[in-house]
Amino acid sequence: MIRRKRGFQFSGAHVVVTGASRGIGHALAREFAGRGSRVTLVARSERPLQVLADSIGGTAMRSDLSDVNEVRGLVARIEDAAGPIDMLFNGAAQLLIDRPRERASATDLVCGVMTNTYAPMELTRQLVPRMLARGTGTIVNVTSLASIVAVPTLSTYGGTKAAAGHFTSALQREMRRTPVRVVLVQFGQVETDLAADSHRRSPLLAAVADRIAKIGFMPELTPEQAASSVADGLACGRSTVVVPRRLAPLHHMREIPSLINDLVLIGLRP
Ligand SMILES: NC(=O)c1ccc[n+]([C@@H]2O[C@H](COP(=O)([O-])OP(=O)(O)OC[C@H]3O[C@@H](n4cnc5c(N)ncnc54)[C@H](OP(=O)(O)O)[C@@H]3O)[C@@H](O)[C@H]2O)c1
């Protein structure tokens, strides 16, 4: 079992949200600021970041997370500009659509893998030693239902998200006896550009969403609803936040082999 650490104290904390220019990241930044945090916003689109930063009293930090050179040293630049980071929320991602005869382009493939998988890993690499030295810190990574369920047209996107999710589950175990908390957030369907784009570019995904809506299995949430659920989960100290919660059994099923291995690891330290 994963030991629960203290719930996140939003008031007065410095939180970094990547992917804050729109969608869930934008709503999360507002939600965290509303709970008393100072928020640093990261994305490529300078204007929406600045508008949001002005409205919540945060800091805009334009960065392309698919560019190794821009990710290099990013944690140090953020901490120099806005102080020690209490929570990093790795929310930025790019959608990739693949078809049997039309794979995602070479450029999109690099951008997607770098943004969805490399950037959360590299920012974690930069931040963990700083958080360990300070004796506190939270790192949050985001996965998707497409990281658990193998969906045609989402092979690359789902693959990048599965990698980020697996990385996070193992990282939780590496950080178990340290003051650094690692949280996995998994979303179902949230009404954002990414979701609309997936339906527009993949008729199959639009049809699946339509079927799911008809049986009422998975409600499509607004970004604000998703952000509020995530903030509640973080405040409660959950190590995994599944939104909507009815999808949690899928996450638990995926965890079974790792939970069995936890028994094998009893008494051993990384
Ligand atoms: N919406 C859903 O139904 C759903 C479901 C499951 C999981 N998720 C996950 O939830 C998270 C948020 O998704 P969303 O639906 O809010 O997506 P979205 O509306 O498309 O927003 C994506 C955000 O990521 C930023 N971003 C993309 N590429 C970037 C790059 N190279 N460097 C820096 N920032 C970059 C975008 O800003 P710029 O374009 O300005 O850079 C934007 O702020 C993602 O991790 C996604 O995989 C969403």
Side-chain angles (χ1 to χ4, degrees):
M1 290 291 287
I2 293 173
R3 190 162 53 93
R4 271 192 191 183
K5 296 182 184 176
R6 231 158 51 93
F8 189 76
Q9 309 287 312
F10 283 100
S11 182
H14 176 209
V15 179
V16 175
V17 179
T18 74
S21 63
R22 60 174 187 272
I24 301 168
H26 189 278
L28 278 167
R30 297 197 75 87
E31 179 73 35
F32 295 160
R35 294 182 186 226
S37 297
R38 283 182 301 114
V39 188
T40 295
L41 316 162
V42 179
R44 293 165 302 178
S45 312
E46 203 150 11
R47 177 97 187 109
L49 277 192
Q50 197 54 58
V51 169
L52 179 59
D54 291 346
S55 81
I56 63 174
T59 306
M61 183 70 70
R62 202 217 74 88
S63 183
D64 182 348
L65 297 175
S66 71
D67 183 336
V68 176
N69 295 318
E70 293 199 23
V71 177
R72 185 178 299 129
L74 182 59
V75 163
R77 290 197 296 284
I78 292 172
E79 293 203 337
D80 286 349
I85 299 168
D86 297 299
M87 186 205 295
L88 168 66
F89 194 103
N90 283 307
Q94 292 190 5
L95 176 72
L96 295 134
I97 297 286
D98 297 288
R99 293 188 192 80
R101 288 177 187 77
E102 192 192 341
R103 309 291 304 162
S105 72
T107 306
D108 287 352
L109 179 56
V110 172
C111 285
V113 170
M114 297 304 280
T115 306
N116 302 2
T117 308
Y118 167 78
M121 291 180 180
E122 171 55 18
L123 294 177
T124 298
R125 194 190 69 77
Q126 292 177 23
L127 193 49
V128 161
R130 292 167 178 256
M131 288 182 161
L132 288 175
R134 292 193 285 263
T136 183
T138 299
I139 294 176
V140 188
N141 293 329
V142 177
T143 63
S144 149
L145 192 53
S147 73
I148 298 179
V149 179
V151 185
T153 71
L154 291 180
S155 51
T156 308
Y157 174 77
T160 64
K161 285 290 173 183
H166 192 79
F167 167 73
T168 309
S169 291
L171 184 68
Q172 287 177 328
R173 289 164 169 86
E174 287 160 6
M175 294 293 136
R176 187 174 276 163
R177 286 176 188 82
T178 78
V180 176
R181 198 154 68 96
V182 179
V183 181
L184 181 70
V185 170
Q186 190 199 297
F187 293 118
Q189 282 197 98
V190 186
E191 285 168 22
T192 65
D193 289 356
L194 186 143
D197 205 26
S198 73
H199 298 168
R200 190 177 50 76
R201 289 167 60 194
S202 169
L204 178 115
L205 294 179
V208 168
D210 194 42
R211 284 187 183 176
I212 288 173
K214 275 187 185 132
I215 58 172
F217 170 64
M218 185 167 60
E220 193 173 31
L221 304 175
T222 65
E224 290 70 27
Q225 288 170 321
S228 165
S229 297
V230 167
D232 287 346
L234 292 169
C236 289
R238 291 208 191 100
S239 58
T240 303
V241 183
V242 182
V243 181
R245 283 186 85 166
R246 67 178 68 166
L247 297 180
L250 295 175
H251 164 75
H252 295 314
M253 279 189 252
R254 185 182 60 176
E255 276 282 293
I256 288 171
S258 302
L259 292 171
I260 293 169
N261 196 51
D262 287 344
L263 297 175
V264 177
L265 293 175
I266 284 174
L268 303 174
R269 302 237 166 152

